[in-house]
Amino acid sequence: MAKMATLILEDGARFRGQLFGADVSVSGEVVFQTGMVGYPEALTDPSYRCQLLTLTYPLVGNYGVPKNEEGEFGLSKWFESSKIHAAALIIGELSESPSHWSSVKSLDLWLKEQGIPGLQGIDTRCLTKKIREKGTMLGKLVVDGSPEDSIPFDNPDQRNLVQEVSMKEPRVYNPNGNLRIMAVDCGIKHNQIRCLAQRGACVTVVPWDHPLDSTDFDGLFISNGPGDPQLCQATINNVRKVISVDRPKPLFGICLGHQLLSLVIGAKTYKMKYGNRGHNQPCIHNGTGRCFITSQNHGFAVDPKTLPQDWDVLFTNANDQTSEGIVHNAKPLFSVQFHPEHMAGPTDLVSLFDIFLDTVRDHKEGSATKTGKKKKFRPKKVLILGSGGLSIGQAGEFDYSGSQAIKALKEENIQTVLINPNIATVQTSKGLADKVYFLPITPEYVTQVIKNERPDGVLLTFGGQTALNCGVELTKLGVLEKYKVKVLGTPVASIEMTEDRKIFVEKMEEINEHVAPSEAALSVEQAVAAAERLGYPVLVRSAFALGGLGSGFANNKEELTALVTSAFAHTSQVLVDKSLKGWKEIEYEVVRDAYDNCVTVCNMENIDPLGIHTGESIVVAPSQTLNDHEYNMLRNTAIKVIRHLGIVGECNIQYALSPESEQYYIIEVNARLSRSSALASKATGYPLAYVAAKLGLGIPLPQLKNSVTNSTTANFEPSLDYCVVKVPRWDLSKFLRVSTKIGSSMKSVGEVMAIGRSFEEAFQKALRMVDENCVGFDHTIKPVSEKELQTPTDKRIFVLAAAFKAGYTVDQLYELTKIDRWFLHKMKNIADHERLLESYNQDESTMPPEVMRKAKQLGFSDKQIALLAVRKLRHDWAILPVVKQIDTVAAEWPAYTNYLYMTYHGTENDLAFKDQHVMVIGSGVYRIGSSVEFDWCAVGCITELRKMGYKTIMVNYNPETVSTDYDMCDRLYFDEISFEVVMDIYERENPEGVILSMGGQLPNNIAMSLHRQQCRILGTSPEFIDCAENRFKFSRMLDTIGISQPQWKELSDTEFCETVGYPCLVRPSYVLSGAAMNVAYSDSDLVKYLSNAVAVSKEHPVVISKFIQEAKEIDVDAVACEGVVMATAVSEHVENAGVHSGDATLVTPPQDLNQKTIDRIKMIVHAIGQELQVTGPFNLQLIAKDDQLKVIECNVRVSRSFPFVSKTLGVDLVALATQAIMREDVEPLARPVQHAHQVPQFSFSRLAGADVVLGVEMTSTGEVACFGENRYEAYLKAMLSTGFKIPKKNILLSIGSYKLLPTVQTLETLGYDLYASLGTADYYTEHGVKVTAVDWPFEEEDDSECPTKEKQRSIMNYLEENHFDLVVNLSMRNSGGRRLSSFVTKGYRTRRMAIDYSVPLIIDIKCTKLFVQVRRLVP
């Protein structure tokens, strides 16, 4: 085992950890530093002399230690002085195996060589909170085995530390420089000398007490240094002589130099309550009001009230208002408290060295330039464009950003008008925007709204690519100009610069930045020529596309031609890029205001190398493998680019960085809020969308408050003291024939974010969040396959786990995957520890507590450790998680935040658990079937609880949602929704109760486990939830109370199906969105489906029931209180039963049900509500055929249609349900009437090869809804909102044996040219409808039969030329879902090509009829 040591503070507090570095005990002053990179620079900084340095960022040593080589002027290239000055290093976790091209040794080895001890495994957040209250504290690090008393506390402030670090003899750097600068060394850093020498000075560095004579220099520089300035009397006296003359030579002081200058002129210094120690201190320049980010490390400050009258404050700290610099009104003397040149940290003010040397050059005034004030434009009414239906690449994150923007505008008393047809979102709820239009986001409809509402401002960057493209269109059409609507935030010209690749490349070249070599092409030939010039492999992308639509890699001409051809269906321009596969992909989120204040809020690193779209990649924040130089090089570039493009508000910039050198390319800039901005907001606690909306109104950034600390400014860069991992979720198993490869085009439907104080902890948490059935980094899910490691799929991470298990080395896996070795080593740690755990499998009692604690710190769940009584054992051994806050400032300031996560790396909770709260469980990751509508329900529930005066706790881990916005609830736990974690929180908080029914399926699945632990569940009792979820119990219950249902039987043999006759439906219990539900048409189908279903629902029964064809499906959403139904809302499906309710088109109020049926539906709802004793929301699905009603299923939770019916009926069912759950008095409802249609939004164009068929499993990713005077108008608006275009001329029909004669005749009378496949054409021609026959080109047909055949154009040619405006393709009768046949039907090819060429497609008979009626009735 590693040797242990203890840090003992002067107040007696003790911190135990493992020793690394040198085996010695030391004492000194304990200080902290919040920067996230730069430990080699910090340790060699003379200012840390005799200090035990604590780093707040927990993962240290990731990029090793570089070689000590000489750079220019004979100064060390990587270090700030010749040796380590800090007395000791105290950190959370040391990286055992660093990974970086510049690294030659590990941090551990370097400390050993230099004789400096290190301590790891410390709760540095707890330590930092202790130190900050005192500013600094004395402490000693005592190695186990040394007597404590042999190491006395040593107060370095009483020694003259400057004398200890200052050089003994003068030394000259850059002797040929043209200006003579004398630098007084009080603890000078290499980069200060470098900054002066690079600007042409000859620098003479002299000892601290060297006598000064102004004839020896043209300018005097006083460096930083350690300790109390009062002890440097010799320096003070020397400087006083030089500056107390009439015309003194220019002087510039930094840090200690600043304090010395203040003492020279007679000002006073004092010790601050909270020192400033980090890389993100905002300083405001007093002349211009501009705010700069600076690096600082000091505990003393100058009191501005004591400055003599001819001196002024030069900079002020925007957080604590302390003075950060002084300047003489007439003489060339100035000094600053921060480090403009700091190595490790930003150098935004390094220009002060230019100002100093210019002053020296002309020895006269003229340094600061005054800036003119801009006239402010304040809009009164602002239009916000939403993002429409959720689709892949554009999901819930825009609901979050839009809601934030509305919130920000309301605070400024500005009226808001929102256009968004997505009914399921929070932003379209009552009480947010002043007015909501459920209309398609197309130029025509938006123009109508502008005409009616006459707004004077519009926000385009909060609704994804949909809103952006619409805004660009409106500008081109001159609509915005005509109605005098100003675009707030980033101007349209800047948006176009980032969207049009060619202009973007030119703009980057203007400032000497490089974009990955690429060429734009307007035709297939141009693309091929471009690829030959760049050299294969190349990456193909389409311009103006979201989420990398229509993009991919091509290794040769054939692959390229295929890719480009399909890309031109979506766009007029494609880009061919040189492939940088295997480079690191890094992203920065940048914020800039109209006054050019600019900060980078978050930087992120993709674990997967370049070549995989960011949305498909596992991402970690902050970056783990960049050193200080790379981090700040990319940061400075980001700021330079954003300023050059003139972006106002928020944007993100993506880079490719070479893993072998400092070479980088800019990949792209998104001038709008993107999915990564939602992630960055949640990862750092900095509300980007909210800030961006305020900046769009012209408010300066420094005036905005950091909403987490409520005392510091928003003009800062958050420092994190935790690690965040984002993992995407794919639902590819729901689609037929879809390719599982992931690459430059996005296919994921949702994502999760996990927080931990080590990478392994966050990483394993995230893998479990993505899929509740996954236990973590599990090697049993996929077998090893080198092919899959090289060409990534959605399950590659589990192939990695299997590879570690099979004994692959890190180097072998690096060659296959190009994932940075640092991440691979971390994954190996997990695999190694799992092997250790397995060795205790036989006899748990032999497992030492350390092994279990280590397992929990590596992110293993109780289930994964796989002991029987692991929870009890953990409690006995006191291995419990602690609750930590996310405060954006790494504990440097006190924060009153409620944004929490749990970790096993810690010794104390950040807050007390005094008040009783009500706990609401959220819906977890967005997936097909559980998306923004459940988030709407969770938010509605919290809001209602707060109205009733309860304090609330939210548990959720989805970064795209409004429910994980920390100002929605009293406490937000950003953590797993699993029995283990919910129970951990429950034991901590001891809430009044837990509400499970608002988060969809996930919370329901843990109801019984919580109930067994005596958790107080509010609402319907878990026993009854089980009755409804467990198919067997539910079917038995219906039989008991005499409600009819399709014939059913618990999982058995094929005999049942033969009795009732096929088709039959296989249904597992406890699943959402019909997972593993299938319609079997034969015995062989049945056997296959049963094995699938048993796999999905391991612990619960599977039931088989008769599948009723051509029936009508009805959805009922209801609220009850103790079994008494309070409210019901009935919607009916347009499609026949057998299409999953999430994929169906819904109408409310129902159109085709008579009063008798509606009364019977109500009777059934009341009976079931009574039987299940429901309290809160529930949802029932029935089918009607030949006047019979049968119940299919009941969910005792909110359903996907809750937001739709609530907004249509104008009654908030969720608020009602919340009142019922909390047992408030609820009055039953009256019904208003308004016609509404909800239409699903599919994302098939993203899923290469997926068949476009609807069945009992759900495949849509979102939905939209619109209202109208009648159902037809509502349906049309809703269809347009999903991107459907109204056909102008040609329609292709491929409808087999369906008799749609009247419908087709209507189409003919409407003047459409009809085309049809051969069989269909014959039938309609016989009935006198004019139809052109077209066919598929099939190789196998014999030419001799039909020589005329060749002259006919084939369907394929027509589709390729975009000849059709609409394709109606109804797949074969009685397919009811998935055909098992593997052959590719003509129908499949028609549907797939229609999608690939962006041709509108209708695939359901009822929808076809409805659509034609709409065309007839709505002009």
Side-chain angles (χ1 to χ4, degrees):
M1 282 296 284
K3 192 160 182 184
M4 303 294 283
T6 310
L7 172 69
I8 304 166
L9 298 180
E10 56 185 311
D11 66 354
R14 308 169 72 91
F15 292 84
R16 265 185 86 64
Q18 294 106 36
L19 186 72
F20 65 99
D23 184 350
V24 291
S25 302
V26 294
S27 77
E29 202 174 25
V30 187
V31 296
F32 66 86
Q33 203 267 85
T34 67
M36 293 182 285
V37 281
Y39 53 86
E41 291 87 349
L43 286 169
T44 52
D45 178 348
S47 296
Y48 286 118
R49 175 79 181 176
C50 288
Q51 292 183 328
L52 286 73
L53 175 61
T54 307
L55 298 179
T56 58
Y57 184 67
L59 307 178
V60 181
N62 300 358
Y63 50 87
V65 177
K67 192 163 124 216
N68 191 6
E69 48 190 321
E70 264 198 16
E72 50 183 347
F73 311 118
L75 295 164
S76 162
K77 191 168 161 191
W78 301 99
F79 303 113
E80 286 296 76
S81 67
S82 55
K83 63 170 198 182
I84 297 184
H85 284 280
L89 180 64
I90 298 161
I91 56 173
E93 180 186 310
L94 174 74
S95 185
E96 307 280 315
S97 23
S99 156
H100 197 267
W101 58 268
S102 70
S103 166
V104 291
K105 57 183 91 156
S106 69
L107 178 57
D108 180 29
L109 186 64
W110 187 46
L111 289 180
K112 275 196 180 73
E113 288 171 5
Q114 299 259 346
I116 305 290
L119 190 60
Q120 67 162 324
I122 298 294
D123 183 345
T124 48
R125 182 172 170 87
C126 168
L127 177 58
T128 303
K129 286 167 68 177
K130 233 178 152 42
I131 306 171
R132 76 169 182 219
E133 291 305 323
K134 297 269 190 301
T136 55
M137 283 176 96
L138 298 184
K140 52 187 176 183
L141 188 158
V142 183
V143 178
D144 279 16
S146 318
E148 275 177 36
D149 307 339
S150 65
I151 317 283
F153 284 114
D154 165 36
N155 184 356
D157 274 353
Q158 290 160 10
R159 311 206 314 254
N160 187 347
L161 297 174
V162 169
Q163 188 175 358
E164 296 174 29
V165 297
S166 182
M167 52 174 13
K168 302 295 171 266
E169 293 296 323
R171 179 167 169 200
V172 178
Y173 293 87
N174 192 25
N176 305 329
N178 53 12
L179 291 172
R180 296 172 307 149
I181 299 295
M182 186 170 280
V184 179
D185 174 12
C186 300
I188 198 162
K189 291 163 33 175
H190 286 343
N191 204 35
Q192 294 175 345
I193 304 171
R194 191 181 294 120
C195 284
L196 292 165
Q198 275 173 344
R199 290 167 175 72
C202 158
V203 187
T204 309
V205 181
V206 298
W208 69 286
D209 53 359
H210 190 78
L212 303 176
D213 177 352
S214 30
T215 55
D216 296 346
F217 55 81
D218 301 325
L220 182 63
F221 174 80
I222 310 176
S223 84
N224 62 295
D228 185 344
Q230 299 285 356
L231 297 171
C232 302
Q233 283 308 324
T235 321
I236 294 174
N237 296 334
N238 290 340
V239 174
R240 189 175 287 127
K241 286 195 194 96
V242 186
I243 69 162
S244 53
V245 296
D246 278 346
R247 201 164 170 271
K249 298 263 173 100
L251 178 145
F252 178 28
I254 288 181
C255 200
L256 184 76
H258 160 70
Q259 295 174 358
L260 291 173
L261 178 64
S262 308
L263 292 171
V264 167
I265 62 174
K268 301 247 182 319
T269 60
Y270 63 97
K271 193 154 186 170
M272 301 156 69
K273 175 155 171 60
Y274 300 117
N276 294 334
R277 307 184 186 278
H279 296 172
N280 57 351
Q281 301 288 335
C283 291
I284 292 181
H285 177 230
N286 283 17
T288 56
R290 285 279 303 280
C291 189
F292 299 91
I293 303 295
T294 64
S295 289
Q296 298 187 24
N297 160 39
H298 66 99
F300 289 92
V302 174
D303 183 354
K305 297 191 194 66
T306 61
L307 287 176
Q309 55 179 12
D310 43 3
W311 286 80
D312 269 339
V313 172
L314 180 59
F315 288 94
T316 306
N317 187 307
N319 285 343
D320 58 12
Q321 313 304 319
T322 54
S323 125
E324 293 275 4
I326 56 173
V327 62
H328 193 283
N329 288 339
K331 298 176 182 172
L333 312 171
F334 69 102
S335 65
V336 291
Q337 178 65 72
F338 49 84
H339 285 275
E341 84 313 325
H342 206 24
M343 284 292 267
T347 50
D348 293 5
L349 279 172
V350 78
S351 56
L352 287 172
F353 282 94
D354 295 311
I355 292 174
F356 173 51
L357 290 173
D358 290 346
T359 312
V360 173
R361 276 199 186 89
D362 46 39
H363 198 339
K364 58 181 187 286
E365 251 311 51
S367 55
T369 49
K370 294 277 185 280
T371 52
K373 288 272 186 287
K374 288 192 184 171
K375 202 164 110 238
K376 266 205 187 152
F377 162 78
R378 271 319 260 293
K380 298 195 176 47
K381 189 189 231 181
V382 172
L383 176 68
I384 299 164
L385 302 187
S387 64
L390 299 200
S391 63
I392 292 181
Q394 184 162 294
E397 65 274 19
F398 297 112
D399 182 26
Y400 165 68
S401 51
S403 323
Q404 285 272 359
I406 294 170
K407 205 183 283 178
L409 295 175
K410 281 179 77 169
E411 283 178 14
E412 301 292 329
N413 295 324
I414 291 170
Q415 261 192 307
T416 50
V417 180
L418 171 73
I419 306 184
N420 191 357
N422 190 340
I423 193 128
T425 54
V426 178
Q427 53 179 310
T428 53
S429 304
K430 274 212 177 83
L432 258 167
D434 296 312
K435 238 190 185 166
V436 180
Y437 285 87
F438 289 94
L439 291 174
I441 298 163
T442 60
E444 301 75 36
Y445 280 103
V446 177
T447 308
Q448 290 291 316
V449 174
I450 291 177
K451 244 192 209 138
N452 290 349
E453 290 288 339
R454 299 295 167 123
D456 42 13
V458 61
L459 288 170
L460 308 176
T461 51
F462 294 85
Q465 199 70 32
T466 312
L468 209 60
N469 290 352
C470 182
V472 171
E473 276 297 286
L474 289 168
T475 313
K476 285 188 182 148
L477 296 169
V479 174
L480 299 180
E481 204 179 356
K482 180 176 167 192
Y483 293 104
K484 301 197 176 36
V485 185
K486 186 173 166 14
V487 175
L488 304 176
T490 306
V492 173
S494 299
I495 294 176
E496 287 186 302
M497 276 176 214
T498 61
E499 292 284 325
D500 186 318
R501 293 298 296 178
K502 199 158 159 293
I503 305 177
F504 181 64
V505 173
E506 287 162 10
K507 292 303 281 182
M508 289 303 98
E509 280 167 359
E510 288 171 19
I511 51 172
N512 202 16
E513 288 297 339
H514 301 290
V515 177
S518 92
E519 300 191 20
L522 299 168
S523 69
V524 180
E525 298 75 46
Q526 284 184 7
V528 173
E532 317 239 294
R533 283 194 291 275
L534 294 166
Y536 291 98
V538 293
L539 166 64
V540 176
R541 298 182 298 161
S542 44
F544 283 96
L546 180 98
L549 192 74
S551 63
F553 285 95
N555 295 312
N556 52 44
K557 190 173 167 183
E558 287 66 47
E559 291 181 19
L560 179 75
T561 317
L563 265 173
V564 174
T565 314
S566 74
F568 277 127
H570 296 280
T571 180
S572 54
Q573 181 195 32
V574 297
L575 312 158
V576 185
D577 300 0
K578 183 174 175 52
S579 165
L580 299 172
K581 256 188 178 164
W583 285 38
K584 296 182 194 182
E585 187 167 349
I586 312 285
E587 217 172 319
Y588 281 73
E589 298 293 322
V590 192
V591 168
R592 176 177 176 271
D593 68 8
Y595 308 93
D596 214 20
N597 295 313
C598 198
V599 295
T600 61
V601 171
C602 180
N603 94 316
M604 298 180 262
E605 172 175 12
N606 288 7
I607 290 183
D608 299 292
L610 197 71
I612 296 176
H613 187 280
T614 318
E616 298 285 270
S617 189
I618 298 180
V619 175
V620 55
S623 62
Q624 301 295 324
T625 66
L626 300 194
N627 66 15
D628 175 66
H629 190 260
E630 291 164 332
Y631 179 98
N632 283 298
M633 165 178 81
L634 297 180
R635 177 186 173 278
N636 291 340
T637 303
I639 290 177
K640 181 164 112 183
V641 168
I642 300 324
R643 286 185 168 152
H644 187 63
L645 292 171
I647 286 166
V648 175
E650 194 273 350
C651 70
N652 73 335
I653 178 166
Q654 291 167 5
Y655 297 101
L657 177 69
S658 159
E660 257 77 64
S661 68
E662 291 179 348
Q663 189 188 8
Y664 67 91
Y665 289 114
I666 296 171
I667 302 172
E668 63 173 351
V669 171
N670 277 322
R672 58 179 170 79
L673 286 119
S674 60
R675 179 170 288 192
S676 349
S677 7
L679 175 69
S681 300
K682 302 294 164 74
T684 56
Y686 188 104
L688 286 165
Y690 170 86
V691 169
K694 295 266 192 180
L695 299 183
L697 298 172
I699 300 172
L701 190 56
Q703 281 179 24
L704 297 177
K705 279 260 176 290
N706 169 356
S707 55
V708 172
T709 57
N710 270 328
S711 56
T712 56
T713 168
N715 197 137
F716 83 113
E717 305 189 350
S719 34
L720 281 53
D721 54 2
Y722 48 87
C723 167
V724 167
V725 176
K726 172 217 104 174
V727 180
R729 157 135 189 155
W730 294 272
D731 264 330
L732 300 179
S733 59
K734 289 213 175 288
F735 300 97
L736 279 162
R737 290 199 273 266
V738 67
S739 144
T740 57
K741 282 190 188 151
I742 59 173
S744 54
S745 174
M746 193 155 148
K747 293 178 184 174
S748 59
V749 288
E751 61 188 26
V752 304
M753 178 182 109
I755 308 167
R757 278 181 65 93
S758 71
F759 172 77
E760 295 93 331
E761 181 174 50
F763 174 64
Q764 291 221 78
K765 264 191 195 180
L767 292 177
R768 286 193 293 273
M769 292 169 171
V770 170
D771 180 358
E772 61 283 4
N773 299 322
C774 164
V775 291
F777 190 54
D778 185 354
H779 59 80
T780 60
I781 295 181
K782 296 282 282 185
V784 181
S785 131
E786 295 209 347
K787 182 171 170 286
E788 205 163 328
L789 288 169
Q790 276 170 318
T791 50
T793 65
D794 55 333
K795 294 271 188 288
R796 166 160 89 165
I797 206 75
F798 300 113
V799 182
L800 268 172
F804 278 121
K805 178 82 177 159
Y808 278 70
T809 65
V810 166
D811 287 337
Q812 283 171 308
L813 290 172
Y814 175 71
E815 286 314 317
L816 287 166
T817 62
K818 287 289 187 265
I819 292 175
D820 193 287
R821 289 183 178 87
W822 188 85
F823 296 113
L824 292 172
H825 275 295
K826 294 290 182 194
M827 291 173 198
K828 185 169 180 298
N829 289 348
I830 297 172
D832 292 349
H833 199 74
E834 185 169 27
R835 205 166 290 134
L836 179 65
L837 288 174
E838 281 167 5
S839 64
Y840 293 106
N841 267 0
Q842 278 63 47
D843 183 9
E844 289 117 42
S845 57
T846 59
M847 178 189 285
E850 295 79 74
V851 173
M852 182 181 300
R853 175 167 279 123
K854 177 87 197 230
K856 297 306 285 183
Q857 289 178 340
L858 288 172
F860 283 81
S861 66
D862 289 355
K863 215 175 187 171
Q864 217 172 342
I865 297 174
L867 302 183
L868 297 169
V870 81
R871 193 174 179 88
K872 186 179 173 312
L873 213 54
R874 270 200 307 131
H875 279 255
D876 295 349
W877 286 342
I879 298 177
L880 298 171
V882 293
V883 177
K884 294 282 182 199
Q885 296 170 317
I886 287 185
D887 61 6
T888 72
V889 292
E892 188 182 359
W893 308 90
Y896 308 99
T897 155
N898 53 1
Y899 186 6
L900 313 167
Y901 66 99
M902 296 175 92
T903 174
Y904 283 87
H905 293 266
T907 50
E908 64 154 19
N909 292 310
D910 274 352
L911 35 79
F913 307 100
K914 295 196 192 83
D915 307 338
Q916 278 237 307
H917 293 68
V918 174
M919 196 159 148
V920 180
I921 311 289
S923 58
V925 62
Y926 281 173
R927 60 185 90 195
I928 287 184
S930 164
S931 156
V932 69
E933 47 285 309
F934 291 117
D935 194 54
W936 178 85
C937 296
V939 171
C941 177
I942 296 177
T943 318
E944 189 60 29
L945 285 168
R946 289 181 93 169
K947 269 190 206 149
M948 296 176 183
Y950 291 99
K951 290 199 154 159
T952 56
I953 294 174
M954 180 80 211
V955 184
N956 201 357
Y957 53 74
N958 185 337
E960 312 171 31
T961 59
V962 179
S963 63
T964 52
D965 184 2
Y966 49 84
D967 51 10
M968 291 310 294
C969 54
D970 296 286
R971 286 192 172 174
L972 167 64
Y973 280 88
F974 208 102
D975 223 309
E976 285 176 77
I977 299 176
S978 65
F979 161 67
E980 177 190 334
V981 177
V982 172
M983 206 57 220
D984 283 336
I985 298 172
Y986 186 90
E987 285 166 356
R988 276 293 131 80
E989 290 279 1
N990 191 20
E992 288 180 40
V994 184
I995 297 181
L996 298 175
S997 51
M998 296 296 175
Q1001 191 63 43
L1002 199 57
N1004 262 9
N1005 290 356
I1006 56 173
M1008 281 309 280
S1009 322
L1010 291 171
H1011 183 60
R1012 288 189 201 106
Q1013 294 282 331
Q1014 277 82 49
C1015 233
R1016 287 183 291 281
I1017 307 285
L1018 302 176
T1020 312
S1021 142
E1023 255 101 11
F1024 287 118
I1025 295 179
D1026 190 52
C1027 256
E1029 288 286 350
N1030 183 317
R1031 302 274 185 199
F1032 175 72
K1033 289 185 183 171
F1034 181 61
S1035 291
R1036 201 177 50 195
M1037 178 196 89
L1038 289 179
D1039 288 350
T1040 320
I1041 58 174
I1043 286 176
S1044 100
Q1045 58 179 320
Q1047 289 165 287
W1048 67 279
K1049 191 165 188 202
E1050 195 174 7
L1051 166 57
S1052 54
D1053 43 27
T1054 52
E1055 199 178 308
F1056 165 77
C1057 299
E1058 280 153 18
T1059 329
V1060 301
Y1062 283 101
C1064 286
L1065 182 62
V1066 178
R1067 315 166 61 183
S1069 301
Y1070 278 102
V1071 295
L1072 178 77
S1073 74
M1077 263 210 219
N1078 276 302
V1079 181
Y1081 289 94
S1082 67
D1083 292 359
S1084 62
D1085 286 7
L1086 189 70
V1087 175
K1088 178 172 173 221
Y1089 291 149
L1090 283 177
S1091 63
N1092 284 2
V1094 173
V1096 171
S1097 123
K1098 291 192 182 67
E1099 294 143 24
H1100 305 290
V1102 176
V1103 164
I1104 307 176
S1105 64
K1106 172 92 182 95
F1107 178 65
I1108 298 177
Q1109 292 177 298
E1110 308 210 351
K1112 177 166 253 340
E1113 195 166 336
I1114 297 156
D1115 238 310
V1116 186
D1117 291 307
V1119 174
C1121 185
E1122 298 183 29
V1124 182
V1125 176
M1126 298 286 170
T1128 54
V1130 183
S1131 339
E1132 121 195 278
H1133 293 197
V1134 173
E1135 290 89 348
N1136 282 336
V1139 170
H1140 187 281
S1141 63
D1143 282 358
T1145 308
L1146 260 63
V1147 195
T1148 188
Q1151 305 290 314
D1152 305 340
L1153 302 181
N1154 53 25
Q1155 196 51 47
K1156 189 178 117 199
T1157 316
I1158 289 182
D1159 292 343
R1160 287 204 22 234
I1161 291 174
K1162 295 230 170 111
M1163 190 277 297
I1164 293 174
V1165 172
H1166 282 266
I1168 291 178
Q1170 190 60 49
E1171 190 62 27
L1172 287 172
Q1173 280 298 299
V1174 177
T1175 296
F1178 68 113
N1179 154 275
L1180 202 60
Q1181 284 166 15
L1182 308 104
I1183 43 179
K1185 188 178 182 184
D1186 312 331
D1187 255 0
Q1188 276 187 317
L1189 280 174
K1190 294 187 188 319
V1191 172
I1192 321 180
E1193 65 173 341
C1194 172
N1195 291 313
V1196 189
R1197 52 171 169 80
V1198 291
S1199 74
R1200 309 199 46 186
S1201 40
F1202 258 72
F1204 172 60
V1205 295
S1206 295
K1207 288 177 189 176
T1208 306
L1209 303 172
V1211 176
D1212 189 341
L1213 291 182
V1214 165
L1216 211 65
T1218 308
Q1219 289 161 9
I1221 290 172
M1222 301 314 287
R1223 302 287 196 269
E1224 304 259 327
D1225 297 337
V1226 186
E1227 54 262 25
L1229 284 181
R1231 334 227 46 171
V1233 173
Q1234 187 182 23
H1235 289 263
H1237 252 279
Q1238 173 170 331
V1239 176
Q1241 166 96 39
F1242 296 96
S1243 300
F1244 284 115
S1245 60
R1246 296 236 164 237
L1247 300 163
D1251 191 2
V1252 191
V1253 248
L1254 297 185
V1256 287
E1257 265 210 47
M1258 185 167 157
T1259 51
S1260 64
T1261 49
E1263 67 276 297
V1264 296
C1266 291
F1267 302 106
E1269 313 250 317
N1270 56 37
R1271 62 181 294 190
Y1272 302 118
E1273 186 190 341
Y1275 181 66
L1276 181 67
K1277 285 182 187 169
M1279 285 292 281
L1280 289 171
S1281 297
T1282 64
F1284 185 86
K1285 297 186 184 62
I1286 295 180
K1288 299 198 171 55
K1289 190 134 182 65
N1290 305 326
I1291 298 181
L1292 170 68
L1293 306 169
S1294 157
I1295 41 187
S1297 53
Y1298 289 106
K1299 304 290 178 271
L1300 275 172
L1301 194 58
T1303 307
V1304 176
Q1305 284 167 333
T1306 313
L1307 279 174
E1308 191 186 27
T1309 54
L1310 286 169
Y1312 285 110
D1313 292 353
L1314 304 178
Y1315 292 76
S1317 46
L1318 295 180
T1320 314
D1322 295 347
Y1323 172 79
Y1324 287 114
T1325 319
E1326 277 166 35
H1327 288 80
V1329 178
K1330 184 171 170 296
V1331 177
T1332 314
V1334 283
D1335 199 12
W1336 274 97
F1338 270 112
E1339 298 74 30
E1340 56 270 30
E1341 284 169 359
D1342 193 4
D1343 293 339
S1344 58
E1345 287 174 30
C1346 191
T1348 55
K1349 198 65 166 284
E1350 286 156 30
K1351 299 193 183 67
Q1352 280 194 353
R1353 310 286 313 277
S1354 74
I1355 290 183
M1356 212 158 142
N1357 306 8
Y1358 279 125
L1359 276 168
E1360 278 173 1
E1361 293 160 12
N1362 276 345
H1363 185 74
F1364 299 124
D1365 302 325
L1366 172 68
V1367 174
V1368 178
N1369 176 298
L1370 308 179
S1371 55
M1372 302 173 203
R1373 255 232 179 90
N1374 69 24
S1375 59
R1378 313 178 153 213
R1379 284 187 302 283
L1380 275 183
S1381 55
S1382 56
F1383 74 92
V1384 179
T1385 59
K1386 296 182 187 181
Y1388 161 67
R1389 289 179 58 184
T1390 313
R1391 291 190 291 274
R1392 197 56 238 179
M1393 284 192 71
I1395 290 289
D1396 288 339
Y1397 290 108
S1398 302
V1399 181
L1401 171 71
I1402 298 183
I1403 53 174
D1404 182 89
I1405 180 163
K1406 295 277 204 60
C1407 289
T1408 311
K1409 289 179 171 163
L1410 182 57
F1411 172 72
V1412 174
Q1413 282 168 308
V1414 167
R1415 285 303 293 136
R1416 200 180 76 235
L1417 299 168
V1418 180

